[in-house]
Amino acid sequence: MNPKSIGVFDSGLGGLTAVRQLRRLMPSENIIYFGDTARVPYGNRSRETLLQYARQDLRFLRTFNLKAVVIACGTVSTNCLETLREESCWPITGVVEPAVERAAAVTRSGKIGLVATRASVASGAYERVFRRADPALEVHALACPLFVPLVEEGRYRPGDVVIETVAREYLTPLVEAGVDTLVLGCTHYPLLSEVIGGVMGPGVTLVDVGAEAARACRDLLAAGDALAERETGSARFYTSDRAVNFQRLAALFLGEEEPVEQVDIFQY
Ligand code: DGL
């Protein structure tokens, strides 16, 4: 039993898809979330910049009494996870390993698609972990840089002509490659599940990396006998840009409105 909180961070709102799953799987846990909306998107940045941002995000989280951290950002997980793990005093869960585990388990054809930010795809991290899981898997990785800004603009609903067009344009090569499993390698993308599923077709299983990271975090805490035992946990949300903007969109990701506080991340 461990009453400390779970820290979660992302470049912006996408990581809230992981928070939703964490709350569903572990309703007793306290969660501290930081979304770096002042510097979103992370997806086109260099590893050096990503490391600098992620270290600041973690320094902010360190001001709370934590027992574990979830990096609910595909871009930081793919580029910086090992370094951040070496530097950190808590167990850190990223999104890559849990998602690969799930995709490798559900694929029947062995052909797996991956959509993610440019920096995530360029890192090759997913391919490396897939190769370790099963060298026979065929992985088709594709950067979809327009998805995050469109989601952050609220353009993610089926029927929205902009997102429908962009999704079809990006995803057609994966449909043609015949993948039967598609890893949504960025935590913003679950909001696009319906649009992406519509293009890929009903035979393709979508893997939500935030949900898989939440599951892995739960397993990790359970294995270390570190789950909380209170009846209901709480969640606190922090953002580096205007709280009202974050709050309005956060409700879409979380399914309910929550109070949000702005922090000056440049101080950390
Ligand atoms: N949600 C993040 C990810 O999972 C980042 C997207 C971005 O900031 O570009 O990659």
Side-chain angles (χ1 to χ4, degrees):
M1 204 303 263
N2 185 335
K4 294 179 183 178
S5 305
I6 301 172
V8 184
F9 76 92
D10 179 40
S11 57
L13 293 143
L16 294 173
T17 58
V19 170
R20 195 171 179 160
Q21 296 300 327
L22 285 167
R23 289 166 114 184
R24 194 179 62 79
L25 291 173
M26 296 182 281
S28 305
E29 298 296 338
N30 286 345
I31 295 172
I32 309 288
Y33 182 85
F34 174 69
D36 195 4
T37 46
R39 301 186 293 196
V40 72
Y42 282 12
N44 296 322
R45 304 203 188 260
S46 67
R47 181 169 184 279
E48 293 65 38
T49 302
L50 290 168
L51 252 185
Q52 183 202 333
Y53 288 0
R55 283 177 175 140
Q56 286 181 301
D57 301 346
L58 281 169
R59 275 200 285 272
F60 167 67
L61 287 177
R62 202 171 291 150
T63 61
F64 298 88
N65 195 13
L66 301 184
K67 60 182 168 186
V69 167
V70 176
I71 302 183
C73 175
T75 308
V76 173
S77 298
T78 48
N79 282 273
C80 311
L81 180 66
E82 294 316 319
T83 308
L84 297 173
R85 268 188 180 148
E86 279 161 23
E87 295 173 357
S88 171
C89 47
W90 320 285
I92 295 189
T93 304
V95 301
V96 179
E97 285 143 353
V100 164
E101 205 176 287
R102 168 72 66 203
V106 299
T107 183
R108 297 168 310 279
S109 66
K111 290 185 187 177
I112 296 174
L114 162 73
V115 284
T117 63
R118 237 184 227 133
S120 285
V121 170
S123 75
Y126 276 98
E127 282 97 330
R128 278 196 295 281
V129 181
F130 269 119
R131 222 171 297 126
R132 269 208 312 268
D134 180 354
L137 293 171
E138 190 180 305
V139 180
H140 299 261
L142 192 76
C144 302
L146 289 173
F147 277 174
V148 169
L150 285 172
V151 169
E152 298 260 340
E153 283 296 322
R155 308 296 297 265
Y156 61 87
R157 291 186 181 82
D160 181 311
V161 67
V162 178
I163 190 64
E164 294 271 5
T165 308
V166 170
R168 198 161 300 283
E169 176 83 13
Y170 278 148
L171 300 171
T172 298
L174 296 180
V175 176
E176 287 169 0
V179 303
D180 73 349
T181 305
L182 179 62
V183 177
L184 306 183
C186 167
T187 48
H188 281 68
Y189 297 178
L191 259 79
L192 296 171
S193 291
E194 279 184 75
V195 171
I196 292 174
V199 176
M200 297 307 295
V204 175
T205 306
L206 304 182
V207 175
D208 171 341
V209 295
E212 297 309 325
R215 176 189 53 77
C217 177
R218 192 252 338 251
D219 294 350
L220 186 79
L221 293 177
D225 198 19
L227 290 166
E229 266 169 17
R230 66 179 78 77
E231 204 149 293
T232 320
S234 63
R236 287 162 73 181
F237 298 89
Y238 297 87
T239 177
S240 50
D241 207 292
R242 292 181 62 204
V244 280
N245 297 351
F246 184 96
Q247 199 166 17
R248 187 174 45 81
L249 279 167
L252 300 174
F253 285 81
L254 290 169
E256 57 193 305
E257 206 157 288
E258 295 280 358
V260 181
E261 236 177 88
Q262 184 171 352
V263 295
D264 179 5
I265 196 63
F266 300 96
Q267 273 184 12
Y268 291 90

